[in-house]
Amino acid sequence: MKADPSTSSASRDDDLDTLPGTGRFAVPEWVRRIAAVNEAWTFCVLLLLVVFFTIASPGDFLTTYDITQIATNAAIYLVLGVGMTYVIIVAGIDLSVGSVLVLAAVLSGEYTIHHGGAKSGWGTIAVSTLIALATGLAWGSLQGWLVAKAKVPPLIVTLGGFGAALGIAQIITGGQDPTGAVSGRLQHSIGFGKLFGQIPWLVVIAFGTTLVFGLVLAFTRFGRYTYAIGSNPEAARRVGIAVDRHLIKVYALVGLLSGLGSMMWLAYFGTTSIAGHSTDNLKVITAVVLGGASLFGGRGTVLGTVIGVFIPAVLTTGLIIMGVQQYWQDVAIGVVLVLAVYLDQFRRRGRDRG
């Protein structure tokens, strides 16, 4: 018997809600749309980790103290991750963020040492903050110029920047963390202080930074140009986008946020930690990739980066509570990264075939 030609495609779709004889149900449209969102998959990984550690360590994991510590520890990497998100969306990379953070912290700390040291006031704090931000901005702009104008691959530029920035910081300090590089007022107010006695100021700063640049990426011309350049730089040029200028701005942004991260680090830890940032770049890139950004450019969101930053933070905290050694923590983070990227690629291949 032939099918009634008057049957519409919409009614046929409704018939697929249940498949007679199979007992299977079609996936609702809203579920398919959610599943197509990168952040939904990343959030599921984060949620599974929270559920696992809550069951494995009942009463010990996800306490108020744990939540505060996780958020505080993730705050600096989140600020760096926001800048890295822009860079990766334009199909770039920045391996120097940790070293730029160190250099900015050292220059800021040197000014503090010679203008009151640990007892310095808010005037010194303001100037030292401007020094840190200017250092990051200048270094990022220089690297952006080399990428955009000199046409040096970003991997090479930022790898060289990684070594050069750290080397300059070590020359200035002799390789030792200077004493008196942080004002006590900065530590007690921003580093250890809390908004309304509940929310650490570092978390507030990270949240504000994330919100501002998340909105810029999603709703402004600057954000649209960022996606366009990452998707097809030649097409972006043909429609009138100043690609080289925009690339310099993007690398300047990640440098600026590295400078901001240096002040957050100084406020919280009270030291420049010259030898403690060699893997910051990998941690930040991991967070951005976990958040769904493509290393080939053209795709990524700040929201995804937020979720991606918290996955290693939650994983590390949970493993510490369970008494797992540091070495296995590194292994676990690496496995989660590879697994998350693999599942994302598997989903994308399925979507392309569909």
Side-chain angles (χ1 to χ4, degrees):
M1 179 182 295
K2 294 183 178 181
D4 185 356
S6 65
T7 303
S8 66
S9 60
S11 63
R12 287 195 299 270
D13 290 341
D14 292 339
D15 292 338
L16 290 177
D17 287 342
T18 59
L19 302 180
T22 64
R24 294 181 298 172
F25 292 87
V27 178
E29 179 63 23
W30 66 271
V31 174
R32 288 198 295 267
R33 289 182 179 179
I34 292 177
V37 177
N38 295 328
E39 293 84 357
W41 287 79
T42 311
F43 183 75
C44 285
V45 174
L46 178 61
L47 186 61
L48 287 174
L49 288 174
V50 172
V51 171
F52 171 77
F53 287 121
T54 301
I55 296 174
S57 303
D60 294 329
F61 182 74
L62 217 61
T63 63
T64 302
Y65 175 80
D66 289 335
I67 294 174
T68 301
Q69 287 301 114
I70 290 173
T72 303
N73 293 335
I76 298 174
Y77 294 113
L78 180 56
V79 169
L80 299 179
V82 170
M84 188 68 74
T85 302
Y86 279 78
V87 171
I88 289 181
I89 289 176
V90 296
I93 199 74
D94 191 344
L95 301 178
S96 68
V97 288
S99 295
V100 175
L101 185 153
V102 170
L103 178 60
V106 165
L107 294 179
S108 171
E110 286 294 320
Y111 179 85
T112 300
I113 291 172
H114 294 90
H115 293 82
K119 297 182 179 180
S120 58
W122 286 108
T124 298
I125 294 173
V127 175
S128 64
T129 300
L130 290 176
I131 290 173
L133 294 176
T135 300
L137 181 65
W139 196 274
S141 299
L142 174 60
Q143 293 189 149
W145 185 88
L146 291 173
V147 170
K149 297 296 187 180
K151 305 303 179 184
V152 182
L155 179 68
I156 302 302
V157 170
T158 59
L159 184 61
F162 169 86
L166 183 60
I168 293 173
Q170 291 173 329
I171 291 172
I172 294 173
T173 62
Q176 302 295 322
D177 293 311
T179 58
V182 184
S183 169
R185 292 188 181 185
L186 178 65
Q187 280 197 279
H188 290 296
S189 59
I190 303 300
F192 306 139
K194 295 182 179 181
L195 178 64
F196 305 127
Q198 298 293 328
I199 308 174
W201 276 109
L202 292 182
V203 176
V204 174
I205 294 172
F207 175 79
T209 303
T210 301
L211 180 61
V212 169
F213 289 104
L215 293 175
V216 168
L217 182 62
F219 299 110
T220 69
R221 180 183 299 176
F222 188 86
R224 292 194 296 271
Y225 285 2
T226 301
Y227 283 110
I229 293 171
S231 299
N232 192 326
E234 184 57 35
R237 284 191 179 90
R238 292 182 179 181
V239 298
I241 297 176
V243 174
D244 291 349
R245 185 188 307 169
H246 192 87
L247 287 175
I248 294 174
K249 291 179 181 178
V250 167
Y251 280 92
L253 173 61
V254 71
L256 177 69
L257 293 182
S258 296
L260 176 59
S262 72
M263 292 306 299
M264 296 170 68
W265 185 277
L266 288 172
Y268 189 61
F269 293 99
T271 177
T272 53
S273 299
I274 294 176
H277 297 274
S278 59
T279 61
D280 282 2
N281 49 9
L282 299 180
K283 293 177 181 177
V284 173
I285 293 171
T286 296
V288 176
V289 173
L290 281 174
S294 171
L295 291 173
F296 298 100
R299 190 177 69 245
T301 64
V302 171
L303 176 59
T305 297
V306 172
I307 302 172
V309 165
F310 278 98
I311 288 177
V314 169
L315 184 60
T316 300
T317 301
L319 292 175
I320 290 174
I321 291 175
M322 293 179 65
V324 178
Q325 292 183 347
Q326 175 66 44
Y327 308 111
W328 286 108
Q329 294 174 27
D330 296 337
V331 171
I333 292 175
V335 170
V336 169
L337 170 61
V338 174
L339 181 61
V341 174
Y342 171 76
L343 290 176
D344 180 63
Q345 294 298 319
F346 181 79
R347 178 183 63 83
R348 294 179 189 280
R349 288 196 297 268
R351 183 184 62 186
D352 293 340
R353 287 196 297 268

